[in-house]
């Protein structure tokens, strides 16, 4: 698929902007702070309902405005669609598909597919487990949009279960009346049910991604691998032995049972996908804490390229977004990356100067400056 038109109102630095887009490569070029990333961030938001830079919506709304609108026209084969999101920080966001009446924002997931690579992705390798969980879960949602509902269920159950545990922990500490813990059993089942579904998807994703990431890394940094992607589950060994969703459910329930005493002491859920991690190994060593800056960068890029290949192989080709990527790479890696991505259906690139966009990436160019986005004839 590709985006044929992007329209923003009160999004980030833009009061209003309209950008017509072609398939193939489009480069947004301009000095720092002019709004290049803001444009591609909006495209990414349509795909994930989140920004790759901030965890809340408030910074996405133009200072002084109270809501932002992202609208995009999409083309997938013969099919055209219009997607619109209204961001209302502090209130519910709204969505529309094809100008029809409102739908839940979540219903938009899966329509726009993107793979976005940006400097922030270094955190995939160097950052906290939450970064890697988000990577996995966003990709899962792109593959299987109904998983957005499962993730929401899981988060809701987790929150309620934590509230219950906190109450139990407080009661215990202050010598209050012991809580009736049978309610907790019910929450355990709900948590394990949604958790097992999420776990099954994560494990399947990692197995599919592993060879693709290895291949991408080899293409970017020949001889530098191999990569090792290993899931580190908080449910321990029982989980490692589980081969299907039912067994994962059983493993999670058992692990919750074992953790119950410490959970009541600490007042928080200690087992489940929200506590898991994806261990990234480069050769024999963990990448986090060991890999060099350049290696970490290539690793993160390999994960994104692998995501791109995966979504591509599974049907609807995603839009590839490369935000400020080329300036970070040495000449050889730059050329390799450019050759890899050049045939993509739509590739959106941002760069501070023309020279940062490799020659093989021929296509449309836009100059971004002072809130305007203007096509440059070349
Ligand atoms: N909510 C907002 N309201 C108004 N302006 C904003 C808002 N959020 C960000 N900006 C402004 O947008 C600009 C940053 O835009 P952006 O990140 O797209 O720059 P860029 O062109 O990608 O720059 P660089 O080359 O440094 O990456 C900053 O000047 C910032 O102050
Ligand atoms: Mg930028």
């Amino acid at each position: 698929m590709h985006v044929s038109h992007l329209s923003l109102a009160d999004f980030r630095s833009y009061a209003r902007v309209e950008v017509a887009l072609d398939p193939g490569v489009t480069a947004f070029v301009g000095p720092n702070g002019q709004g290049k990333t803001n444009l591609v961030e909006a495209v990414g938001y349509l795909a994930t309902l989140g920004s790759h830079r901030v965890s809340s919506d408030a910074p996405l709304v133009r200072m002084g405005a109270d809501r932002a609108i992202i609208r995009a026209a999409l083309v997938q084969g013969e099919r055209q669609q219009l997607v619109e999101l209204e961001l209302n920080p502090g209130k519910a966001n709204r969505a529309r598909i094809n100008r029809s009446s409102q739908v839940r924002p979540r219903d938009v997931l899966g329509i726009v597919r993107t793979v976005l690579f940006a400097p922030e992705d270094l955190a995939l390798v160097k950052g906290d487990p939450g970064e890697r969980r988000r990577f996995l879960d966003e990709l899962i949602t792109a593959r299987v949009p109904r998983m957005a509902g499962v993730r929401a269920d899981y988060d809701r159950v987790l929150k309620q279960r934590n509230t219950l545990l906190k109450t139990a922990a407080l009661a215990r500490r202050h010598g209050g009346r012991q809580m009736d813990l049978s309610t907790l059993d019910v929450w355990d089942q709900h948590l394990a049910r949604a958790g097992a579904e999420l776990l099954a998807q994560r494990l399947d994703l990692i197995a599919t991604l592993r060879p693709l990431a290895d291949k991408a890394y080899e293409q970017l940094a020949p001889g530098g691998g191999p990569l090792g992607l290993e899931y580190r589950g908080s449910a321990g060994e029982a989980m490692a032995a589980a081969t299907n969703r039912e067994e994962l459910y059983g493993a999670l329930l058992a692990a919750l049972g074992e953790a119950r005493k410490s959970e009541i002491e600490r007042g928080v859920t200690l087992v489940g996908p929200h506590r898991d991690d994806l261990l990234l190994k480069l050769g024999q060593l963990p990448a986090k804490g060991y890999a060099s800056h350049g290696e970490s960068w290539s690793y993160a890029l390999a994960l994104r390229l692998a995501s791109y290949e995966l979504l591509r192989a599974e049907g609807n080709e995603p839009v590839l977004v490369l935000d400020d990527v080329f300036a970070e790479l040495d000449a050889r890696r730059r050329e390799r990356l450019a050759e890899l991505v050049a045939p993509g259906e739509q590739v959106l690139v941002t760069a501070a100067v023309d020279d940062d966009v490799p020659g093989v990436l021929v296509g449309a160019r836009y100059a971004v400056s002072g809130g305007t986005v203007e096509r440059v004839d070349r």
Side-chain angles (χ1 to χ4, degrees):
M1 57 143 294
H2 67 271
V3 178
S4 57
H5 193 94
L6 177 69
S7 157
L8 305 178
D10 291 327
F11 183 86
R12 288 282 199 187
S13 53
Y14 294 102
R16 273 210 86 92
V17 71
E18 305 285 334
V19 187
L21 294 164
D22 294 329
V25 177
T26 297
F28 298 102
V29 181
N32 294 143
Q34 298 301 305
K36 306 180 297 292
T37 301
N38 293 347
L39 291 173
V40 294
E41 183 179 39
V43 177
Y45 193 99
L46 290 170
T48 60
L49 302 182
S51 154
H52 69 288
R53 297 197 282 189
V54 286
S55 55
S56 76
D57 286 347
L60 305 179
V61 175
R62 192 169 65 92
M63 193 56 77
D66 48 27
R67 54 170 201 171
I69 292 173
I70 310 174
R71 197 179 292 127
L74 317 163
V75 179
Q76 186 188 345
E78 298 290 294
R79 194 150 168 234
Q80 303 210 5
Q81 274 184 296
L82 200 66
V83 173
E84 184 182 310
L85 282 177
E86 183 184 300
L87 279 55
N88 299 301
K91 284 183 284 173
N93 290 347
R94 303 207 241 194
R96 258 178 228 280
I97 301 171
N98 297 328
R99 299 188 199 279
S100 65
S101 55
Q102 277 179 34
V103 294
R104 291 173 306 179
R106 197 205 282 171
D107 296 328
V108 166
L109 289 167
I111 297 181
V112 181
R113 303 223 287 181
T114 64
V115 169
L116 188 151
F117 183 66
E120 284 78 6
D121 280 331
L122 209 48
L124 275 179
V125 180
K126 296 181 180 248
D128 294 335
E131 304 280 350
R132 289 175 287 282
R133 288 194 296 264
R134 187 160 69 105
F135 164 72
L136 294 174
D137 292 347
E138 281 183 354
L139 192 50
I140 284 169
T141 308
R143 277 181 107 185
V144 188
R146 73 167 179 83
M147 286 304 293
V150 175
R151 283 170 66 189
D153 285 348
Y154 184 83
D155 291 344
R156 188 174 42 77
V157 172
L158 179 64
K159 219 167 142 188
Q160 286 170 332
R161 192 174 181 277
N162 279 342
T163 307
L164 197 65
L165 284 170
K166 208 171 281 165
T167 317
L170 278 174
R172 205 173 153 275
R173 242 170 266 157
H174 301 293
R177 206 162 53 85
Q178 284 290 315
M179 274 192 47
D180 173 14
L181 291 175
S182 60
T183 4
L184 204 52
D185 289 339
V186 178
W187 286 113
D188 282 11
Q189 287 164 22
H190 288 314
L191 193 81
R193 189 58 66 200
E197 202 163 340
L198 189 54
L199 268 180
Q201 288 290 342
R202 285 190 187 168
L203 295 174
D204 178 68
L205 172 64
I206 293 166
T208 316
L209 208 57
R210 210 174 266 132
L212 297 172
D214 238 345
K215 186 166 157 233
Y217 196 86
E218 180 60 23
Q219 283 168 325
L220 289 166
L227 307 189
L229 275 55
E230 290 171 20
Y231 195 72
R232 287 292 148 102
S234 52
E237 269 164 31
M239 193 212 95
T243 54
N244 58 41
R245 208 160 79 191
E246 235 11 77
E247 287 175 14
L248 287 167
Y249 172 73
L252 274 176
L253 262 192
L256 284 166
E258 268 174 49
R260 174 155 307 176
K261 197 159 160 281
S262 0
E263 287 192 328
I264 291 173
E265 267 163 29
R266 296 180 42 189
V268 60
T269 302
L270 296 171
V271 172
H274 67 291
R275 304 279 291 201
D276 297 354
D277 197 0
L278 170 66
L279 176 67
L280 301 174
K281 284 178 27 182
L282 182 59
Q284 294 305 306
L285 297 171
K288 183 175 174 172
Y290 291 87
S292 75
H293 178 77
E295 285 171 338
S296 304
W297 185 264
S298 299
Y299 207 127
L301 182 51
L303 290 175
R304 292 298 183 196
L305 288 175
S307 312
Y308 183 59
E309 285 308 321
L310 183 148
L311 293 179
R312 219 173 172 179
E314 290 179 352
N316 190 1
E317 180 163 342
V319 176
L320 182 65
V321 179
L322 299 173
D323 183 25
D324 248 340
V325 166
F326 291 102
E328 282 274 346
L329 297 169
D330 61 32
R332 214 181 46 153
R333 285 182 197 192
R334 196 187 271 219
E335 288 313 313
R336 282 179 183 277
L337 175 61
E339 280 160 21
L340 282 175
V341 306
E345 179 174 345
Q346 187 168 52
V347 185
L348 306 179
V349 176
T350 75
V353 289
D354 267 319
D355 286 350
D356 282 345
V357 185
V360 288
L361 295 184
V362 280
R365 258 208 203 169
Y366 282 91
V368 180
S369 157
T372 63
V373 184
E374 270 168 22
R375 194 155 179 149
V376 182
D377 290 320
R378 293 187 306 157

